[in-house]
Amino acid sequence: MLRLSKLTDYATVLLAYMAKTNSHLHTAVELSEATAIHLPTVSKVMKVLSKAGVVYATRGSKGGYQLAQGPEQITVASIIGALEGPVAITECSSQTHDCEQASACEIKGNWGVVNRAIVNVLESITLADMMVTQQEYSSAEIQVSWQGLSR
Amino acid sequence: MLRLSKLTDYATVLLAYMAKTNSHLHTAVELSEATAIHLPTVSKVMKVLSKAGVVYATRGSKGGYQLAQGPEQITVASIIGALEGPVAITECSSQTHDCEQASACEIKGNWGVVNRAIVNVLESITLADMMVTQQEYSSAEIQVSWQGLSR
DNA sequence: TTTATACAGTACTAATTTAGTCCTATATCG
DNA sequence: CGATATAGGACTAAATTAGTACTGTATAAA
Ligand code: FES
Ligand code: FES
């Protein structure tokens, strides 16, 4: 249903907390207590974020996690990519598809264009943007223009 | 994984075929043969599209389906909406959410903004756009700007 | 060097969602 | 009436996601 996984949501909440309290390394236990996300889940998410390079991990006593970049450099797309892989709204939206009925298909390639548009949005929004306090959903100003093809 | 359901994909393929051959009513059998989508699945999809008002259905002998509007008026968002309901990329992205940890959450409301941005993209793309023959994915020109909050 | 701490990697089960099919009912035309 | 075609709902199977647990590795301090 065009929905992100819960793990991606957790990741964003965790990263936002880390961004807010950026002075020290954060252990999984601390993150769990601060966000009320169960510890095993926090661990799972942080391991994935670490492997993807979104956060930097230090092992051992006095260890923990820290953001690999500033909140302005971490995009929502990169968070999603870490947890779920590249965004692909349909099977046919990636370059490496092999749709069975491709020869007869009227919309061939167009999901790729839609996908690209959505990725552009997600790449334009950073963790810092996600930390802005919202008064109203409707107060956001987003402008999107669709110009079709250049040829 | 931010993916549309297959039924939504089928719906778009079916509607694109209908748009291309707009002169007559299309039975489920004809649509199935033209698109190579199994008949039970075609029926399921068309029933949903009919209920949502995307297509108009005529019962009985000489019956079938036709587009309720021109391809330029049918948006991708409306197709998705018919099959999957309103787009909500996370539980917290709709106005009517009641997130357990909302009081402590650093990103409260921001998924709603991201969701709105994606919906804007999907509302800007029509069935007619989806029927343009694509040479290269990269040839599409989409411009998105994120301007954050107005206040 | 031993011990406590904290992350890494992997495997597994349960829960949820989606896909696909089928059956019965209703409407329309000739 | 009988053939055609959609409407609605129920049901099963498949796929995906969420959540948990266990074992391994690295680090720092006693
Ligand atoms: S749906 Fe795959 S090529 Fe059209
Ligand atoms: S995730 Fe629900 S309010 Fe933040």
Side-chain angles (χ1 to χ4, degrees), chain B residues 67-112:
Chain B
L67 297 183
Q69 305 170 83
E72 296 79 12
Q73 274 72 54
I74 299 177
T75 67
V76 171
S78 69
I79 301 171
I80 298 172
L83 273 291
E84 315 185 16
V87 170
I89 60 170
T90 64
E91 285 181 12
C92 268
S93 58
S94 65
Q95 277 81 345
T96 60
H97 78 289
D98 51 341
C99 189
E100 50 207 27
Q101 67 202 28
S103 59
C105 183
E106 296 298 327
I107 61 168
K108 188 163 30 178
N110 285 286
W111 279 128

Side-chain angles (χ1 to χ4, degrees), chain B residues 5-7 10 38 40-41 44 59-62:
Chain B
S5 77
K6 284 193 180 185
L7 296 185
Y10 295 153
H38 291 199
T41 302
K44 182 174 189 171
R59 290 194 187 184
S61 162
K62 306 285 180 186

Side-chain angles (χ1 to χ4, degrees), chain B residues 106-140:
Chain B
E106 296 298 327
I107 61 168
K108 188 163 30 178
N110 285 286
W111 279 128
V113 177
V114 177
N115 198 67
R116 186 71 242 156
I118 290 176
V119 169
N120 283 351
V121 169
L122 297 174
E123 286 179 342
S124 74
I125 302 174
T126 70
L127 186 57
D129 293 322
M130 292 295 282
M131 297 174 66
V132 175
T133 301
Q134 297 296 326
Q135 310 296 329
E136 301 268 329
Y137 291 121
S138 57
S139 67

Side-chain angles (χ1 to χ4, degrees), chain A:
Chain A
M1 56 168 79
L2 207 69
R3 175 158 289 192
L4 295 169
S5 77
K6 284 193 180 185
L7 296 185
T8 302
D9 197 352
Y10 296 152
T12 309
V13 172
L14 291 165
L15 291 169
Y17 171 78
M18 289 175 71
K20 189 190 174 194
T21 56
N22 209 358
S23 53
H24 61 292
L25 264 56
H26 304 269
T27 67
V29 170
E30 180 204 337
L31 292 172
S32 173
E33 289 171 350
T35 60
I37 299 167
H38 292 295
L39 179 56
T41 302
V42 171
S43 288
K44 182 174 188 171
V45 170
M46 294 312 295
K47 278 182 278 192
V48 175
L49 290 174
S50 170
K51 188 165 189 180
V54 178
V55 300
Y56 184 77
T58 308
R59 290 192 185 185
S61 161
K62 307 282 179 189
Y65 297 99
Q66 57 192 304
L67 296 183
Q69 304 171 84
E72 298 78 13
Q73 273 71 55
I74 299 177
T75 66
V76 172
S78 69
I79 302 171
I80 298 172
L83 274 292
E84 314 185 16
V87 170
I89 59 169
T90 64
E91 283 179 14
C92 268
S93 58
S94 65
Q95 276 80 347
T96 60
H97 78 289
D98 51 340
C99 189
E100 49 208 28
Q101 68 202 28
S103 60
C105 183
E106 296 299 328
I107 61 167
K108 187 162 35 177
N110 284 286
W111 280 128
V113 177
V114 177
N115 199 67
R116 185 72 242 158
I118 290 176
V119 169
N120 283 352
V121 170
L122 297 173
E123 286 179 344
S124 74
I125 303 175
T126 70
L127 186 56
D129 292 322
M130 292 296 282
M131 298 173 66
V132 175
T133 301
Q134 298 295 326
Q135 310 296 327
E136 302 268 328
Y137 291 119
S138 57
S139 66
E141 292 284 324
I142 304 144
Q143 298 192 339
V144 177
S145 70
W146 164 265
Q147 305 193 319
L149 285 175
S150 55
R151 51 164 173 164

